[in-house]
Amino acid sequence: AAVLLQEVIPPQLELFAARQTLGSQYDIVCADSPKLPYYCAILLHKAKAKMIAPPRTRHFATSKMGRHLLSVDVVIGGRTDAPLTLMTTHLESMKQERTERVKQFTEVLQVMVESSVSAFPPRTAVLAGDLNIRDDEVLAARKKARVLSAGSIDGIVDAWS
């Protein structure tokens, strides 16, 4: 029902949007005012996924690479009793950008808490992305986010672990 993408460039977006490819079946949600000519996007199947609020772009203020978090609240398959927040991001890359990446992932975790546990009604938040993140960086970001969210982050589960 949804495809979460990173590093989308304008020619790809044009191809996706064409009726002969995906445009007839998918709505395309793009980042607002991307800082670079590549950005995150979310494809929503027109018959299966409906946006229930405007999409949101959160630009990482200190990113050197124009990174951001794109999120949208949806209902899948008409399940209004089970709304979801879909999120996609592309975090800073390269080993030397560890500090910025941890900062960005901490911010993402905080947004996940705000979008799920603290939301009304509470909902499931799903994050997909090119995180470029190492295990010790995940632990560092979770530790910071746990303090900032007064422990609410403990409800966030990593599907890969």
Side-chain angles (χ1 to χ4, degrees):
V3 180
L4 291 82
L5 301 168
Q6 308 81 43
E7 295 192 56
V8 175
I9 58 173
Q12 285 175 311
L13 192 61
E14 193 175 314
L15 181 63
F16 291 158
R19 288 193 57 73
Q20 303 89 328
T21 56
L22 300 174
S24 64
Q25 294 184 20
Y26 285 85
D27 288 320
I28 300 172
V29 179
C30 292
D32 180 38
S33 303
K35 309 268 189 247
L36 292 173
Y38 61 93
Y39 39 85
C40 294
I42 299 174
L43 308 182
L44 297 173
H45 194 278
K46 291 179 179 183
K48 297 177 183 176
K50 300 291 179 208
M51 275 193 294
I52 56 174
R56 298 170 302 282
T57 302
R58 186 174 191 137
H59 295 279
F60 299 124
T62 53
S63 174
K64 297 174 188 166
M65 302 177 184
R67 307 298 202 213
H68 55 270
L69 172 69
L70 175 63
S71 59
V72 64
D73 298 323
V74 299
V75 169
I76 305 287
R79 294 284 314 269
T80 56
D81 61 323
L84 299 171
T85 298
L86 301 177
M87 303 175 170
T88 185
T89 191
H90 183 193
L91 302 183
E92 220 82 356
S93 60
M94 310 302 279
K95 187 176 183 178
Q96 66 270 22
E97 296 301 331
R98 177 191 196 284
T99 301
E100 178 62 22
R101 192 170 35 258
V102 168
K103 183 178 176 183
Q104 290 172 357
F105 193 55
T106 301
E107 192 172 332
V108 167
L109 292 171
Q110 290 177 273
V111 172
M112 289 184 77
V113 167
E114 294 165 10
S115 299
S116 59
V117 179
S118 301
F120 186 81
R123 66 190 63 198
T124 298
V126 177
L127 170 69
D130 182 350
L131 303 182
N132 291 310
I133 203 159
R134 286 99 175 140
D135 291 344
D136 65 312
E137 296 170 358
V138 172
L139 295 174
R142 286 187 69 90
K143 185 176 180 180
K144 286 182 180 182
R146 184 172 288 111
V147 171
L148 294 169
S149 71
S152 296
I153 189 176
D154 294 334
I156 296 176
V157 177
D158 182 351
W160 292 106
S161 51

